[in-house]
Amino acid sequence: MLAGEPAPTGPARRGAKPPVFPVAAIDDPALPEVLAELAAARADEMDADTVNRELSIARKAIGWWQRQGWIEGAPTIGIERRPAPPDRTKALAENQIAALWRLDVALREKTFGKMLYESAARADEVLCLNVEDLYPQDKRGRITAKGGATEWIHWQSGTAQLLPRLIARRTRGPLFLTDRKAPAGTPMLDVCPETGRARLSYRRAEEIFEENTRLLANPLASPEDIEDLAGLTLHRLRHSALTHDAEGGSSTPSAAGPLQARLRPVPGAVRPSQC
């Protein structure tokens, strides 16, 4: 691109030899306009991540040449990075999951995230849990699954260690609560009779999770830009759990901690009211 030539695409990229280009030519007054046109054409051909990566490489090289005193110009200064929306479908890597658990978040959010990942249940199912639906000694809870069936979800030691602190001395009512008292008109099934606080909604849980994970989803973003970027979604956390289960072979019935054991029907259960 610095030589005024279009970058190769497709199979031609592999093993392509760059043209000879004198560094001093970067100070050519006509280069910024030519470069801007080539960058725009490149953006039409490739995805945003590729274009941004190439632009970053060019700027680092130009900056190094400037520090050597070889050039003065900065021909890429008017070229903006292309917006690259985060991938909301790809499973998180194991190191990203580990980083998620290290976030400095409230006990409620830490417990909710752990339970979602360890159980692979849907967020709305977990939010409908009541304290009386839990069997902590067995690391399981009774939920109303999609379609109305009553089933078990199973969790692991991470959730088991956090639950007693979250429940405290409560014996009934919604497991995950809002920070404030329930507003007038809130259905009684969604109000904790011991604290008067309301059940945490899916919308609010999603908002909090997205805010808490913005830096994790955009590790290269600057602090001043992070507020304008999107974080992770609750669905992506569940998708990661299912993916890691499959990759580890735990989706087979004979495997230890099988996925099938996470959601088992409760024999003879009566369908409860939907929360």
Side-chain angles (χ1 to χ4, degrees):
M1 294 176 68
L2 290 174
E5 299 179 10
T9 59
R13 294 182 62 193
R14 191 177 300 276
K17 295 183 179 181
V20 176
F21 181 75
V23 175
I26 291 178
D27 285 329
D28 185 341
L31 184 59
E33 183 177 352
V34 173
L35 198 58
E37 293 178 357
L38 288 170
R42 182 68 167 165
D44 291 336
E45 300 172 346
M46 307 298 294
D47 62 275
D49 287 335
T50 298
V51 174
N52 291 338
R53 182 174 63 252
E54 293 175 350
L55 179 61
S56 177
I57 292 171
R59 283 178 170 163
K60 288 180 179 179
I62 289 171
W64 189 82
W65 294 331
Q66 288 173 331
R67 290 192 294 274
Q68 307 313 306
W70 298 346
I71 62 172
E72 295 181 357
T76 64
I77 198 162
I79 303 175
E80 297 183 356
R81 290 174 58 86
R82 300 283 165 167
D87 188 343
R88 295 177 179 272
T89 61
K90 184 178 179 181
L92 300 175
E94 296 285 356
N95 63 323
Q96 290 177 300
I97 293 295
L100 179 63
W101 304 147
R102 292 194 296 269
L103 293 178
D104 184 15
V105 298
L107 174 63
R108 180 187 63 191
E109 277 63 63
K110 191 178 291 290
T111 308
F112 182 54
K114 282 274 188 179
M115 183 175 285
L116 279 185
Y117 182 72
E118 292 183 353
S119 69
R122 293 178 175 84
D124 54 351
E125 295 169 346
V126 171
L127 289 169
C128 282
L129 277 171
N130 290 334
V131 174
E132 57 268 34
D133 295 327
L134 307 179
Y135 295 78
Q137 68 278 11
D138 299 326
K139 297 180 183 177
R140 65 176 180 167
R142 188 175 54 214
I143 65 165
T144 301
K146 191 174 183 180
T150 302
E151 299 176 337
W152 292 116
I153 63 170
H154 296 247
W155 52 81
Q156 300 166 30
S157 58
T159 302
Q161 292 172 3
L162 295 169
L163 269 178
R165 294 169 53 198
L166 180 71
I167 297 171
R169 297 182 179 179
R170 292 187 292 134
T171 58
R172 54 189 177 137
L175 175 60
F176 295 99
L177 300 171
T178 57
D179 295 324
R180 300 178 180 179
K181 295 288 185 179
T186 303
M188 292 305 297
L189 288 175
D190 293 330
V191 179
C192 174
E194 300 178 15
T195 65
R197 291 186 288 162
R199 187 187 306 274
L200 182 66
S201 69
Y202 183 97
R203 179 190 60 79
R204 183 56 183 149
E206 180 84 302
E207 287 178 353
I208 295 173
F209 187 71
E210 188 273 332
E211 291 171 2
N212 288 338
T213 57
R214 285 176 181 171
L215 187 58
L216 184 61
N218 306 276
L220 300 181
S222 60
E224 56 269 20
D225 293 335
I226 200 67
E227 292 297 324
D228 299 324
L229 299 174
L232 304 177
T233 63
L234 293 173
H235 176 75
R236 190 169 174 188
L237 182 58
R238 178 175 185 264
H239 176 63
S240 300
L242 295 172
T243 300
H244 296 162
D245 258 355
E247 291 174 346
S250 60
S251 59
T252 59
S254 60
L259 181 57
Q260 284 84 351
R262 291 185 174 184
L263 292 170
R264 284 180 177 166
V266 179
V270 178
R271 178 177 176 177
S273 300
Q274 294 287 337
C275 64

